[in-house]
Amino acid sequence: MAERVMQAVQYTGYGGGAAGLKHVKVPIPSPKKDEILLKLEATSINPVDWKIQKGMLRPFLPSKFPFIPCADVAGEVIEVGPAVSSFKAGDKVVAMLNFLNGGGLAEFAVAPVALTVSRPSEVSATEGASLPTAAATALQALKAGGTKFDGSNKPSNVLITAASGGVGHYAVQLAKLANLHVTATCGARNIELVKSLGADEVLDYKTPDGTSLKSPSGRKYDSVIHCTTGIGWSTFEPNLTTNGKVIDITPSFKSIVTTVLKKVTFSKKQLVPLLLVPKGEDLKFLVNLAKEGKLKTLVDSRYPLTKAEEAWTKSIDGHATGKIIVEM
Ligand SMILES: NC(=O)c1ccc[n+]([C@@H]2O[C@H](COP(=O)([O-])OP(=O)(O)OC[C@H]3O[C@@H](n4cnc5c(N)ncnc54)[C@H](OP(=O)(O)O)[C@@H]3O)[C@@H](O)[C@H]2O)c1
């Protein structure tokens, strides 16, 4: 029988940026025991995808070359592995692919059933593919900062940096759903947009107030969801409440040293590095919020698979407002 093939975009070594991406025909993968074969409708690009290509996570990722990047997808179930009973051919789903294998920039991919959830008709493929990494990171960062989503929060103030980005724009909305007072930073062009997501006050990050992170209403922050780079502890520290925590989703060697120093000196103010732990239950929670219209996705731009390089370049540029999508 002729081998089934698909269009995919892959790279064969570290570096090269968009020019390192190649359009190829490769075999359609087969689902293993706990996997689902999806015909993809959309994939979103996250900064981690090109950071892996740059070699910033070597020697762990990618696990092999050639590598088809991207993990956040929405699509339709084509075939299920022998141990999968919760989905059937024709179901619409949102999934996070196994990071070790990647596979999102392609017409088909296999997803682990544990990280696959049903996509209701109210949630478009674009919205669905936007959620797995960015919204789940926002959710886990808020939880790490002490935020609860059961209505039991005491009044508290959160600062969200880079609130116009993929993670930040979800963090603003999730923080408001949890009844927090939200101060946000973004560029001047996005101030009104970030306010429309619910932020109570917004700082232009290029102004002196934005650089110092001072709340316009004089508030100190109980937590900070730090979604950009280049802001040191000495800037955060004076803006925190006594037990304030900075949840750092972009940890560096320098920030890890600060984290350790704060720990060993029993500082009440803490710098907490956060790495997303993919969880099916979080994805379900987020897809449900999207279904109920409580969590909106800002779409920066959409590209067909044939123009995946343009999407890649856009993400590397670092100025997306919301999510960058590749549609199949
Ligand atoms: N730890 C984890 O598990 C985890 C998970 C997801 C993401 N991340 C990391 O978190 C970071 C954010 O991810 P993302 O997907 O949100 O990125 P993104 O969508 O590419 O972020 C772009 C946005 O950041 C804004 N921005 C850039 N510098 C800023 C600054 N100094 N102050 C305020 N806003 C600024 C840009 O605004 P302008 O265009 O106006 O400059 C743009 O709107 C990335 O480094 C990513 O790798 C980590």
Side-chain angles (χ1 to χ4, degrees):
M1 199 171 84
E3 194 175 40
R4 300 182 303 168
V5 292
M6 64 176 185
Q7 288 290 341
V9 175
Q10 67 182 25
Y11 53 83
T12 52
Y14 291 117
L21 300 180
K22 301 289 172 231
H23 291 262
V24 290
K25 277 201 165 157
V26 294
I28 294 176
S30 297
K32 298 199 187 87
K33 198 170 152 228
D34 293 323
E35 290 179 337
I36 300 176
L37 174 66
L38 302 177
K39 181 171 189 340
L40 299 184
E41 292 169 72
T43 297
S44 74
I45 296 182
N46 290 286
V48 71
D49 296 316
W50 50 261
K51 287 180 183 179
I52 293 172
Q53 183 201 28
K54 264 184 134 179
M56 289 168 76
L57 278 83
R58 78 172 89 179
F60 308 107
L61 292 171
S63 57
K64 57 171 174 30
F65 291 117
F67 187 72
I68 300 174
C70 297
D72 294 0
V73 302
E76 184 176 317
V77 175
I78 297 294
E79 189 184 334
V80 299
V84 177
S85 56
S86 43
F87 294 96
K88 59 178 186 330
D91 288 349
K92 298 281 190 183
V93 297
V94 173
M96 187 168 187
L97 307 182
N98 183 329
F99 248 93
L100 287 174
N101 303 332
L105 277 186
E107 290 177 303
F108 295 85
V110 285
V113 66
L115 293 175
T116 302
V117 307
S118 291
R119 176 168 68 82
S121 58
E122 296 87 345
V123 180
S124 69
T126 293
E127 281 177 284
S130 297
L131 294 169
T133 296
T137 302
L139 180 68
Q140 290 185 11
L142 283 160
K143 286 182 177 173
T147 302
K148 298 189 177 69
F149 288 86
D150 58 3
S152 68
N153 282 316
K154 293 195 195 104
S156 85
N157 305 320
V158 65
L159 168 71
I160 296 164
T161 63
S164 52
V167 179
H169 89 286
Y170 287 129
V172 169
Q173 297 176 74
L174 290 168
K176 287 314 295 176
L177 283 172
N179 282 324
L180 307 192
H181 180 280
V182 175
T183 307
T185 74
C186 66
R189 70 194 167 94
N190 283 321
I191 289 178
E192 288 313 313
L193 185 71
V194 170
K195 278 190 185 157
S196 77
L197 296 174
D200 298 284
E201 44 189 23
V202 183
L203 294 163
D204 170 357
Y205 75 90
K206 291 189 176 149
T207 61
D209 280 350
T211 311
S212 66
L213 304 177
K214 286 215 174 339
S215 152
S217 58
R219 286 174 163 81
K220 300 276 182 194
Y221 309 118
D222 300 291
S223 59
V224 177
I225 309 303
H226 182 36
C227 306
T228 182
T229 52
I231 303 176
W233 178 253
S234 59
T235 304
F236 289 123
E237 202 275 335
N239 291 302
L240 296 174
T241 55
T242 315
N243 293 305
K245 274 187 187 173
V246 178
I247 312 303
D248 183 8
I249 70 162
T250 61
S252 61
F253 178 72
K254 199 172 160 198
S255 71
I256 301 275
V257 171
T258 306
T259 297
V260 173
L261 271 176
K262 296 291 131 197
K263 273 256 179 259
V264 298
T265 56
F266 301 104
S267 166
K268 287 188 174 162
K269 299 181 181 180
Q270 294 281 337
L271 179 61
V272 181
L274 182 124
L275 200 60
L276 172 69
V277 179
K279 290 180 189 165
E281 70 203 73
D282 284 352
L283 195 50
K284 215 175 219 170
F285 176 74
L286 294 161
V287 169
N288 197 43
L289 287 179
K291 175 190 168 190
E292 291 173 354
K294 293 178 180 165
L295 188 65
K296 306 256 184 247
T297 293
L298 289 178
V299 178
D300 175 272
S301 43
R302 302 158 194 254
Y303 304 81
L305 186 61
T306 49
K307 294 197 171 155
E309 299 85 344
E310 289 180 25
W312 203 250
T313 302
K314 177 79 201 198
S315 182
I316 292 172
D317 282 349
H319 293 294
T321 299
K323 297 295 300 172
I324 299 166
I325 303 294
V326 175
E327 291 169 329
M328 285 67 189

